[in-house]
Amino acid sequence: MNPDFKILIRKSLIFLFPVLLWIMTVIIVDPFNYFNYSHKISEQSKLKSAQRLNSLLFNSIQFKNNPTPNIIIGDSRIRKLPNDRIEKLTGKEYFTLHSNAAKLNEIVDLFWLANEYSNLENVILGINFNLYNEYAYSNRVADVKELLSNQFIYIFNWNILETVYLALKNEFFGIQKNQKRDKDKFWEHTINTVAENHYGKWKKPENSLNKLKEIGVYCKENNINLTLLIVPHYKEFHDRLVDFNLEHEESKFKEDIKNIRKVVDYDFPNVITECKSCFGDPIHTTDSVSTVIINDLFSDSLTIGKELH
């Protein structure tokens, strides 16, 4: 064999070895269960790394691996709704496809993503007025679809490197408990800063509204039960929209969506929105109240929420 060729092979192997080692590491650790071959790392270690860093990618892959015909889509507010309680009430398994800080256009995109992997039957979309804003926009679902379609883009993505490291750290050195945040300070931050971010600059999202209407038409044509769910906020947060003169726009928002399909509203003065202890923070209900919402939503007749007509 030509000596120069031997040198080339040797150098190529030296270069390829770390690449192949990394590929094997990602497949074995598999923090997002992308390949779903190896289960050497515990699910708890993966949850505390992958889901925490990129809940959108983690939940999308989980749904792709185990699709269900029944799904709840939205941001962190709908994550609290207990699927086990829904299954007891309906006998049907639901999957919650959520992303932290999901935007309305991303919720629309997630519907179509879920539709690619499942013959959908029952869909709940969590949609609140503070998502109904042209300026509240992100396009992370496109990145997820790219990663799902190309293994090499996934393997050599920088976020995957960080997640693999954290999953290994959690597995071998134990999962560190989250530092407790100051509830009062976070509550004040949500009422002031978060509310201003949501309501301070507002424009009707015509494009997202049209895409919601397209989902409504598609669901009607394909016999998919679609419910648009407006979850409750604590009144102190909800009333911040008054400070930005958005009462009429909120009312118009409910008018805009009520004919798309079934709309169930919990974000108005009621026993939940008037109760501070019903919330972990001003926009997330506690586990027990989330169960109350599910009991009400899946009952024969609503007693707390109201269907918009």
Side-chain angles (χ1 to χ4, degrees):
M1 185 181 290
N2 188 305
D4 291 338
F5 187 63
K6 286 183 177 180
I7 293 172
L8 178 62
I9 292 176
R10 189 179 300 115
K11 288 183 177 180
S12 297
L13 290 174
I14 292 172
F15 171 76
L16 287 173
F17 178 74
V19 175
L20 293 173
L21 180 62
W22 174 247
I23 291 173
M24 290 301 298
T25 300
V26 173
I27 292 173
I28 292 171
V29 176
D30 200 12
F32 289 94
N33 291 321
Y34 184 93
F35 300 98
N36 213 26
Y37 298 145
S38 171
H39 300 282
K40 300 292 184 182
I41 304 298
S42 69
E43 287 302 311
Q44 193 64 20
S45 294
K46 294 179 182 183
L47 280 169
K48 289 296 183 179
S49 57
Q51 191 178 53
R52 185 174 180 183
L53 280 179
N54 193 331
S55 59
L56 176 57
L57 178 60
F58 184 87
N59 292 323
S60 297
I61 292 174
Q62 293 296 100
F63 184 77
K64 177 178 178 289
N65 291 341
N66 301 285
T68 65
N70 313 300
I71 191 168
I72 305 173
I73 302 174
D75 62 12
S76 58
R77 285 169 286 192
I78 58 94
R79 181 177 60 85
K80 304 283 285 184
L81 301 176
N83 291 333
D84 55 345
R85 182 59 184 165
I86 298 175
E87 187 170 359
K88 286 182 179 179
L89 292 170
T90 66
K92 297 177 181 178
E93 180 183 0
Y94 274 72
F95 184 94
T96 299
L97 181 54
H98 84 276
S99 172
N100 294 333
K103 305 300 187 285
L104 178 56
N105 66 290
E106 292 179 317
I107 292 171
V108 169
D109 291 342
L110 283 173
F111 170 85
W112 294 116
L113 179 68
N115 192 62
E116 290 180 23
Y117 297 111
S118 175
N119 294 319
L120 297 173
E121 295 176 4
N122 298 285
V123 177
I124 298 173
L125 301 183
I127 298 176
N128 276 70
F129 176 67
N130 63 330
L131 294 178
Y132 193 71
N133 189 343
E134 185 70 29
Y135 298 113
Y137 179 87
S138 188
N139 195 27
R140 294 171 295 171
V141 180
D143 296 333
V144 167
K145 293 181 72 172
E146 185 178 39
L147 291 173
L148 290 175
S149 65
N150 191 312
Q151 295 180 353
F152 289 100
I153 292 177
Y154 171 83
I155 289 171
F156 296 105
N157 183 279
W158 178 258
N159 288 329
I160 303 305
L161 186 152
E162 182 181 6
T163 311
V164 166
Y165 163 73
L166 288 175
L168 289 170
K169 181 181 176 183
N170 289 337
E171 185 73 11
F172 294 108
F173 297 99
I175 299 171
Q176 294 185 350
K177 293 183 178 180
N178 296 333
Q179 291 184 343
K180 288 186 177 181
R181 63 191 180 192
D182 187 310
K183 184 175 180 179
D184 292 335
K185 287 184 178 179
F186 186 73
W187 190 282
E188 183 179 348
H189 170 77
T190 304
I191 294 296
N192 295 321
T193 306
V194 174
E196 184 171 357
N197 290 340
H198 288 178
Y199 299 132
K201 186 178 181 181
W202 187 89
K203 182 180 179 182
K204 183 177 178 178
E206 297 284 0
N207 189 46
S208 292
L209 175 60
N210 289 333
K211 289 183 176 181
L212 270 179
K213 290 178 179 178
E214 289 174 8
I215 290 177
V217 171
Y218 179 85
C219 288
K220 184 176 182 179
E221 292 176 347
N222 290 274
N223 297 315
I224 299 171
N225 296 316
L226 174 65
T227 300
L228 306 183
L229 176 63
I230 304 174
V231 299
H233 293 148
Y234 181 55
K235 62 179 181 179
E236 189 178 6
F237 181 90
H238 175 272
D239 291 348
R240 285 285 280 137
L241 63 84
V242 176
D243 299 334
F244 297 95
N245 300 312
L246 293 175
E247 308 101 300
H248 175 72
E249 283 72 16
E250 184 201 24
S251 177
K252 188 66 170 59
F253 151 68
K254 294 181 180 182
E255 287 290 321
D256 289 339
I257 67 171
K258 72 178 185 180
N259 294 320
I260 292 175
R261 292 294 274 172
K262 180 180 179 180
V263 179
V264 179
D265 182 16
Y266 287 89
D267 200 23
F268 63 92
N270 59 59
V271 293
I272 295 176
T273 59
E274 301 282 338
C275 167
K276 186 173 183 177
S277 63
C278 294
F279 293 84
D281 63 59
I283 61 176
H284 294 92
T285 51
T286 61
D287 292 341
S288 59
V289 173
S290 297
T291 300
V292 170
I293 292 172
I294 288 301
N295 290 339
D296 189 62
L297 183 63
F298 286 91
S299 65
D300 293 332
S301 60
L302 296 167
T303 57
I304 301 174
K306 61 183 180 182
E307 185 174 349
L308 301 184
H309 296 286

